[in-house]
Amino acid sequence: MEQWSTTAVPAIRRAPYWIEAVNQAYVQLECAVPHRSSDPFFGAITRRELAEVNLSRITSTAQTVLRTPQQISKASEDVFLLSIQLAGAGQLVQDQKIARLKPGELALYDSTRPYELLFDHHFEQYVLSLPGSLLRKRLRNAEDMTASKITTAQSGTARLLSRMITELMASPPAGGPVVDMAVADGLVSILVATLAENMGSLSLKDESVSLRCDRIKAYVLENLHDPELSISKIAKRLNLTASTVHRAWEGEPDTLSKWMWSMRLKGAEQDLHRLACSDKTITEIAYHWGFSSSAHFSRAFRQHFGVPPKEARAGRRALFQSDSRPS
């Protein structure tokens, strides 16, 4: 995790400090902040890396951010960024298109072409960034999707993407590089599904396989708590046959059923470690994540993580109590 904040920076130094922070956290940019003695500038960024995907939360007062042709010519950065508005309002301008974002709305932009981000007042956003090549492998003409607003209130996949980022920023995975790569792959799949769902007129690469696989992942992740979730139910809800679901999943390292249960186990494992879930029994957590038997959950958990759920919870509590003692 990386953090930048102007809180402890003298007012006269805040603007240059913030410009440097934005450049380190994202890509090379110009940033203009207003000088108001009655309302001094404030900005803070929290950034987490998940394999090739970066997540960040940015909170700031008014500013204008520019990605100029000069910066593009001097840098080799090829990054797609997705802003999810959490508070306040902002405008994204790219390719003569304008996306005016309010809370619950999101839009994509491309670092290989000029863009502007305009914020008149205090605002807060999540920003997801990933290599351009990673998205172009999955989507044809991905650049055509920039500065097009998507609303979480009208898009199930966009809501899922926003919830996943919220969870990951609050409680990042602790399983090391392999887990980070799996989570990052899931995020990219949900992003592709979100863009495909809301930009249906744009063509996708390998639509019969890649898009279907992304749709399957999005549906499964949104319905992990359903104890009746199965391949036949997934096929029915997505208007596919079971054999089509299996064919779409052929390129994945695990079977769909194994992947589905592993996602449930990871969700349950995170809940076992959350203070917010400390009053829930292990059985309640198991049922919440789609397990119909506490015995099945205990066996599967031990096989996947190497320890039973009770021991995993006790170990995390002991670690928390140890860290909480004054030195």
Side-chain angles (χ1 to χ4, degrees):
M1 182 178 70
E2 296 177 283
Q3 292 181 313
W4 298 266
S5 175
T6 62
T7 301
V9 178
I12 195 171
R13 286 285 307 152
R14 287 189 175 186
Y17 171 88
W18 183 247
I19 293 170
E20 184 177 349
V22 168
N23 278 265
Q24 289 183 33
Y26 303 109
V27 295
Q28 295 300 301
L29 300 164
E30 289 182 7
C31 187
V33 300
H35 297 281
R36 299 169 181 167
S37 57
S38 59
D39 184 20
F41 175 79
F42 168 79
I45 300 170
T46 300
R47 181 175 178 266
R48 299 186 187 277
E49 293 186 3
L50 284 169
E52 293 185 282
V53 175
N54 292 320
L55 303 176
S56 62
R57 185 174 190 135
I58 179 170
T59 304
S60 179
T61 48
Q63 61 186 278
T64 299
V65 178
L66 301 176
R67 176 74 166 167
T68 67
Q70 290 78 13
Q71 291 161 334
I72 294 169
S73 65
K74 294 177 182 178
S76 59
E77 299 147 322
D78 178 10
V79 178
F80 276 104
L81 303 101
L82 181 85
S83 287
I84 304 176
Q85 198 76 20
L86 300 176
Q91 290 188 45
L92 161 63
V93 182
Q94 188 165 50
D95 300 328
Q96 300 181 327
K97 294 186 292 183
I98 301 176
R100 295 179 174 87
L101 301 181
K102 297 179 294 185
E105 297 176 335
L106 51 96
L108 185 76
Y109 42 112
D110 181 356
S111 73
T112 64
R113 302 192 313 285
Y115 62 78
E116 299 177 42
L117 301 173
L118 311 173
F119 305 99
D120 292 332
H121 302 284
H122 181 278
F123 73 95
E124 192 167 359
Q125 286 186 337
Y126 286 135
V127 179
L128 181 156
S129 61
L130 70 162
S133 59
L134 201 60
L135 189 59
R136 292 188 186 94
K137 287 178 182 177
R138 309 283 283 272
L139 293 172
R140 182 178 292 114
N141 300 327
E143 61 275 5
D144 293 341
M145 302 181 184
T146 57
S148 297
K149 183 169 65 178
I150 299 173
T151 304
T152 57
Q154 299 174 353
S155 168
T157 52
R159 283 195 304 276
L160 175 60
L161 182 64
S162 180
R163 287 202 301 267
M164 287 180 69
I165 293 174
T166 300
E167 289 290 322
L168 289 168
M169 289 299 294
S171 180
V178 174
V179 174
D180 285 354
M181 288 178 64
V183 174
D185 180 68
L187 274 173
V188 175
S189 294
I190 303 306
L191 171 60
V192 170
T194 298
L195 296 171
E197 179 188 37
N198 294 277
M199 314 289 178
S201 61
L202 296 167
S203 58
L204 289 92
K205 292 183 177 178
D206 301 321
E207 185 175 54
S208 61
V209 177
S210 178
L211 174 56
R212 282 175 182 164
C213 186
D214 291 333
R215 289 175 62 208
I216 292 166
K217 285 183 179 179
Y219 179 80
V220 169
L221 290 171
E222 196 167 12
N223 292 275
L224 281 174
H225 305 294
D226 180 2
E228 298 181 355
L229 186 64
S230 64
I231 290 175
S232 60
K233 187 169 186 177
I234 295 167
K236 183 177 180 180
R237 295 298 186 187
L238 298 180
N239 295 317
L240 303 172
T241 65
S243 60
T244 300
V245 170
H246 285 297
R247 285 198 302 272
W249 199 263
E250 281 179 351
E252 297 298 311
D254 291 324
T255 66
L256 176 53
S257 294
K258 186 175 180 180
W259 181 79
M260 180 175 69
W261 286 111
S262 70
M263 291 296 104
R264 283 173 161 165
L265 285 167
K266 287 173 184 175
E269 191 256 354
Q270 287 188 353
D271 279 359
L272 287 172
H273 296 161
R274 293 181 198 276
L275 290 177
C277 297
S278 60
D279 60 337
K280 293 183 178 180
T281 67
I282 291 175
T283 299
E284 287 174 332
I285 291 173
Y287 285 171
H288 175 72
W289 284 98
F291 290 86
S292 57
S293 161
S294 58
H296 174 216
F297 170 68
S298 293
R299 286 194 304 271
F301 190 96
R302 182 166 190 160
Q303 184 178 6
H304 192 81
F305 293 106
V307 294
K310 185 176 181 180
E311 186 176 326
R313 171 177 263 186
R316 181 54 66 94
R317 282 177 173 171
L319 179 62
F320 176 78
Q321 289 169 357
S322 174
D323 290 343
S324 300
R325 294 193 189 105
S327 55

